[in-house]
Amino acid sequence: MTIHHAPRALYIHIPFCTNKCHYCDFTSYVLKGQPVDDYLDALEREMERTISVLPPEQIDTVFVGGGTPTVLTPPQMERFLAAVRRHFPLTPDVEFSMEANPGTTDADKLAAMYAGGVNRISFGVQSFNNTLLERIGRIHNVEDVYRSLENARAAGFTNLSIDLMFGLPGQTVELLADSVQKALALKLPHYSLYSLKVEENTLFHKLYERNELPLPTEDEDLNMYLLLIEQLKAGGYQHYEISNFARPGYESKHNSTYWRNEHYYGLGAGAHGYANRERHVNIKGVQPYIDATLARLPRLDTETISELEAMEDFMMVGLRLLDGIRTADFTRQFDGKILEGYFGPIIDKHLNDGLMERLEDERGSGYRLTDKGVLLGNEVFGSFIGLEV
């Protein structure tokens, strides 16, 4: 049996937002009237309970997501970041990321973030078109984007990323091309690009049900994705994961934990964590979460992952990386077992249909998606799920 070490990655959820975007189904609540200080107290209690059950060795990556963590005031931010450092031993070269909304990061807040150890900011920009931003319920405008990035650089941040969305209602390939050019002109080290998914319990879902959401066609959606790949590669960025592009050395180390199916701590309302082959999800509501931390770990649900499920996850998330998966990593993660012994027939099928290819390099032999496979990724990932072995 493999001895599982403590996770080396830490995710913390701050569930507050200035408003709710029309497409968002995350655990997030409008800030006004929320007990933010009580929530930060609760987070600290969860940190204490977590490290007593699963003591950390060293943390290589921290990711603070939301919601919009940057709605915390500078004093709240200071206090929160001090608590993280007090409970978790961060490595000297830790990658410490925080999500931010353009327009929620003034100089004081950025100074508190920087002093508190944050060294990477991911801005939810989504588009460089004000009409589209308004249509999807964002409260920032393009001017806010430029100002926020300028402020971040002035505060000392160099590792910056922005999210862009495609497949938005009323968006055309031309509008997207314009946004991409503006994004590339910023010369940032990292870009994440997401296709809009209409999730239940969102305003967009209601509009979609009523046929009032003018979404691009599937072909337009594909052309948008192809345009993004082409433009970013031409700009000198590496397409290292289905939705992510970076300059060499600036790939998101934290997200790579998920893609390699490695363990991570997950703290905060609605947060997910994975350790010792157990996945958990925390209680979602702010007050129920706060109340739960007074008595126990605030778990909503804990599920033991069978070895076969973990293997399926290894394939499904690992193939999102364009660098692919290595047979040696599989053998190491699964007590000497051989990848092809479990997934040989499916891999052969995808090698034959041109969606996957073998690879051989200094990290050993393995498999990755082909260019065609990248476009049909979901088809490939789904084929590794629900096997009978």
Side-chain angles (χ1 to χ4, degrees), residues 1 61 67 69 92 128 133 139 167 177 185 188 255 287 292 295 312 324 348 350 364:
M1 176 66 193
T61 69
F128 282 83
L133 286 171
I139 55 153
L188 300 176
N255 288 337
Q287 199 56 54
E312 293 173 351
D348 287 343
H350 291 315

Side-chain angles (χ1 to χ4, degrees), residues 18-237:
T18 39
N19 73 313
K20 191 87 172 165
C21 298
H22 300 345
Y23 54 83
C24 175
D25 74 331
F26 291 155
T27 302
S28 65
Y29 305 94
V30 175
L31 179 68
K32 199 172 170 3
Q34 291 287 354
V36 179
D37 287 304
D38 293 351
Y39 182 81
L40 294 178
D41 289 340
L43 257 183
E44 206 159 335
R45 286 194 292 272
E46 190 188 0
M47 288 179 197
E48 282 159 10
R49 291 184 187 283
T50 298
I51 62 176
S52 69
V53 177
L54 186 60
E57 288 159 22
Q58 283 210 302
I59 299 293
D60 297 322
T61 69
V62 181
F63 195 102
V64 184
T68 307
T70 46
V71 298
L72 298 181
T73 63
Q76 287 169 339
M77 183 69 77
E78 238 163 77
R79 174 190 157 195
F80 163 63
L81 294 172
V84 175
R85 292 198 310 275
R86 203 162 47 246
H87 292 95
F88 290 93
L90 310 183
T91 54
D93 61 346
V94 66
E95 177 196 82
F96 198 138
S97 304
M98 186 176 280
E99 287 182 337
N101 241 3
T104 59
T105 48
D106 57 22
D108 290 349
K109 189 162 308 173
L110 286 157
M113 287 161 65
Y114 194 75
V118 177
N119 54 24
R120 181 176 184 272
I121 305 180
S122 174
F123 282 102
V125 170
Q126 317 317 0
S127 173
F128 282 83
N129 178 290
N130 283 332
T131 310
L132 281 180
L133 286 171
E134 205 175 310
R135 189 175 289 156
I136 62 177
R138 303 297 284 183
I139 55 153
H140 70 268
N141 60 32
V142 177
E143 198 39 55
D144 294 328
V145 174
Y146 291 118
R147 201 176 50 248
S148 297
L149 288 164
E150 213 174 291
N151 289 345
R153 284 174 165 151
F157 290 96
T158 53
N159 195 351
L160 300 168
S161 175
I162 61 175
D163 291 351
L164 286 178
M165 290 178 80
F166 63 99
L168 297 174
Q171 190 178 35
T172 60
V173 175
E174 291 72 30
L175 281 175
L176 179 67
D178 179 62
S179 273
V180 174
Q181 275 171 332
K182 287 177 174 149
L184 284 173
L186 295 164
K187 297 188 169 15
L188 300 176
H190 190 280
Y191 295 92
S192 297
L193 310 157
Y194 300 106
S195 172
L196 172 71
K197 289 192 174 40
V198 177
E199 306 283 6
E200 285 188 22
N201 305 319
T202 63
L203 175 62
F204 271 3
H205 191 260
K206 289 191 188 81
L207 294 174
Y208 181 73
E209 298 274 84
R210 299 204 302 252
N211 271 336
E212 289 171 19
L213 198 66
L215 294 175
T217 64
E218 246 175 73
D219 278 355
E220 286 171 325
D221 217 49
L222 176 63
N223 287 336
M224 287 183 190
Y225 185 51
L226 289 169
L227 169 97
L228 289 166
I229 296 175
E230 182 195 325
Q231 295 281 316
L232 279 137
K233 281 187 174 171
Y237 291 87

Side-chain angles (χ1 to χ4, degrees), residues 246-280:
R247 292 217 185 280
Y250 283 95
E251 300 83 0
S252 167
K253 294 191 183 91
H254 181 83
N255 288 337
S256 299
T257 302
Y258 307 147
W259 299 320
R260 295 202 190 99
N261 201 39
E262 292 166 353
H263 291 157
Y264 57 96
Y265 292 99
L267 284 83
H272 292 251
Y274 181 41
N276 295 335
R277 286 263 165 87
E278 258 190 9
R279 289 195 189 280
H280 79 258

Side-chain angles (χ1 to χ4, degrees), residues 3 16-17 33 35 76 105 126 128 145 151 188 197 220 264 290 295 298 302-303 309 315 319-320 343 349 364 373 383:
I3 303 294
F16 308 114
C17 277
Q76 287 169 339
T105 48
Q126 317 317 0
F128 282 83
V145 174
N151 289 345
L188 300 176
K197 289 192 174 40
E220 286 171 325
Y264 57 96
I290 292 170
T302 303
E303 181 193 0
E309 280 175 292
M315 298 302 290
L319 285 168
R320 289 188 64 91
F343 299 113
K349 175 186 175 300
S383 66

Side-chain angles (χ1 to χ4, degrees), residues 333-379:
Q333 225 178 85
F334 300 107
D335 304 324
K337 295 190 170 64
I338 306 300
L339 172 70
E340 290 81 359
Y342 288 83
F343 299 113
I346 303 176
I347 290 170
D348 287 343
K349 175 186 175 300
H350 291 315
L351 292 173
N352 289 333
D353 60 22
L355 300 182
M356 281 170 70
E357 61 190 10
R358 281 182 216 281
L359 77 122
E360 198 63 66
D361 59 19
E362 67 285 351
R363 287 180 49 215
S365 60
Y367 303 93
R368 67 177 169 211
L369 295 178
T370 57
D371 288 351
K372 181 181 166 192
V374 167
L375 302 179
L376 297 168
N378 289 338
E379 203 173 294

